[in-house]
Amino acid sequence: MQVSIACTEQNLRSRSSEDRLCGPRPGPGGGNGGPVGGGHLNPPGGEGSRPKARATPVPRPPAQSEALRESTGRNTGMKYRNLGKSGLRVSCLGLGTWVTFGSQISDETAEDVLTVAYEHGINLFDTAEVYAAGKAERTLGNILKSKGWRRSSYVIATKIFWGGQAETEKGLSRKHIIEGLRGSLERLQLGYVDIIFANCSDPNSPMEEIVRAMTYVINQGLALYWGTSRWGAAEIMEAYSMARQFNLIPPVCEQAEHHLFQREKVEMQLPELYHKIGVGSVTWSPLACGLITSKCDGRVPDKCRATIKGYQWLKDKVQSEDGEKQQGKVMDLLPIAHQLGCTVAQLAIAWCLRGEGVSSVLLGVSSAEAADRTLGCLQVLSQLTPQTVMEIDGLLGNKPLSTKYYRQ
């Protein structure tokens, strides 16, 4: 029998966050809400026949739902959050492999980057079958095999949609989801991935077929969870409804672009899905592909993704009129960054981490030094007050979006 892992809206409303994550709270006597005195009732007769004294109610401490939902690693300072409303704990920062692994950087540099990330508490590594035509998965798999880290200590996510040139090697048909995932597992040299993402919505594949295929690969042990990437809110809700209707497994998260200049979906649409059906967010491109740094200043830096072959579109975006305006706004953030003792990049990443439904923010770094430097955003996050966020919005000329679901 297939068992769904997401919470229903009724359950989400009827239980507090602490109850959902930790189960029933113990009563004053140490049991699960049982009577005082260890939960033992007096037998009839004897002293037990006397009128029972009414127990003095013990006030329940306020629920620490936020503290339970986010914890901090003892040795690394990394923060861990639930993937949506599932029980999977992922680092609030993840390492992406788009552009870098198998393409921009050497395998040796990729190993250094992955090692720094892992040693600093990052446990989420994201890739896709389309990245560098499969080389990114192969590079990641080789590194993981050589490192010999416990498989249970990290989370691997891959994405399926563009797998090859043939018509049957792309899309979200049952055939490609199953065969594409098996191909990814072969390149990764793993028996399963923790999360499989549908890397784009597919109008040519019925939603029921997609959800059934995702349920199948999970039931077969090829994946543990599934999510969506670049889907609309209505499509995610349709997949959830389909799963509920046919007792299938619904998605637990959506992977979406999110940065200072791309906000509406993650901040206005996905929070509702998070609270209603438990779908969280894994966001990518927190620096807008390198645009949100103080290094551009009206030009394209030598070590920018926009200079890589095949990314002319990004160079055109940086050099466009809108791109130049955005770079000007980024420079306006320098005083705030200096006040907080950080770089603009660290500030921008910390800004992306403040959403309650954001499970993890994926980083794309090209060196171990850059990875180590980027991790400084965790210290910035603790200093990012609502007043600072409002000041950033004012400098960028953004209309403040809903702060209802910000982490406090």
Side-chain angles (χ1 to χ4, degrees), residues 59-267:
R60 177 177 292 178
Q64 300 293 328
S65 57
E66 200 63 40
L68 289 172
R69 196 175 300 131
E70 179 177 272
S71 60
T72 304
R74 291 182 179 179
N75 300 323
T76 63
M78 179 59 63
K79 298 181 182 297
Y80 297 93
R81 301 172 177 177
N82 286 68
L83 183 68
K85 291 285 177 76
S86 77
L88 181 62
R89 301 286 284 181
V90 295
S91 51
C92 69
L93 296 175
L95 180 65
T97 60
W98 178 49
V99 181
T100 52
F101 281 42
S103 178
Q104 182 187 21
I105 61 179
S106 66
D107 291 353
E108 292 75 16
T109 302
E111 181 174 353
D112 292 341
V113 168
L114 197 71
T115 301
V116 168
Y118 184 80
E119 291 178 348
H120 282 77
I122 290 180
N123 68 0
L124 174 60
F125 306 123
D126 178 83
T127 187
E129 63 174 350
V130 71
Y131 292 172
K135 293 180 181 179
E137 289 181 323
R138 190 168 287 109
T139 300
L140 178 59
N142 289 336
I143 296 173
L144 292 174
K145 183 178 180 180
S146 66
K147 286 297 180 180
W149 296 327
R150 298 188 317 279
R151 178 62 183 90
S152 58
S153 67
Y154 55 83
V155 176
I156 298 296
T158 193
K159 295 182 283 295
I160 300 296
F161 193 94
W162 293 280
Q165 298 299 319
E167 193 67 20
T168 53
E169 293 176 333
K170 52 190 174 184
L172 296 177
S173 66
R174 179 182 179 90
K175 175 181 175 64
H176 182 56
I177 288 176
I178 297 173
E179 294 178 346
L181 179 55
R182 286 175 175 164
S184 292
L185 292 175
E186 182 179 354
R187 290 186 290 272
L188 288 166
Q189 304 175 64
L190 297 175
Y192 67 93
V193 295
D194 299 274
I195 315 166
I196 173 177
F197 284 99
N199 201 11
C200 186
S201 59
D202 184 4
N204 295 320
S205 297
M207 187 62 73
E208 181 181 347
E209 178 178 347
I210 297 172
V211 180
R212 286 190 181 277
M214 290 298 187
T215 300
Y216 173 81
V217 297
I218 290 176
N219 288 339
Q220 292 296 308
L222 303 178
L224 304 183
Y225 303 85
W226 80 277
T228 58
S229 179
R230 299 188 295 176
W231 282 32
E235 294 168 322
I236 299 172
M237 181 61 76
E238 182 184 357
Y240 174 85
S241 301
M242 194 70 65
R244 284 299 178 209
Q245 180 180 355
F246 296 108
N247 193 29
L248 304 173
I249 299 175
V252 297
C253 60
E254 156 69 6
Q255 198 170 120
E257 182 179 6
H258 183 223
H259 50 75
L260 290 167
F261 304 114
Q262 184 75 34
R263 306 179 57 188
E264 184 174 355
K265 181 179 180 179
V266 172
E267 298 184 41

Side-chain angles (χ1 to χ4, degrees), residues 11 14 33 65 115 131 166 237-238 251 273 293 304 350 369 408:
N11 287 338
S14 62
S65 57
T115 301
Y131 292 172
M237 181 61 76
E238 182 184 357
L273 294 181
T293 67
C304 176
E369 294 76 15
Q408 300 300 323

Side-chain angles (χ1 to χ4, degrees), residues 339-340 347 351 354 380-392 406-408:
Q339 181 181 356
L340 297 177
L347 176 63
W351 181 90
R354 76 202 192 291
V380 183
L381 179 59
S382 61
Q383 306 175 55
L384 202 59
T385 64
Q387 291 76 15
T388 305
V389 173
M390 292 179 62
E391 186 177 356
I392 292 173
Y406 284 179
R407 293 178 184 268
Q408 300 300 323

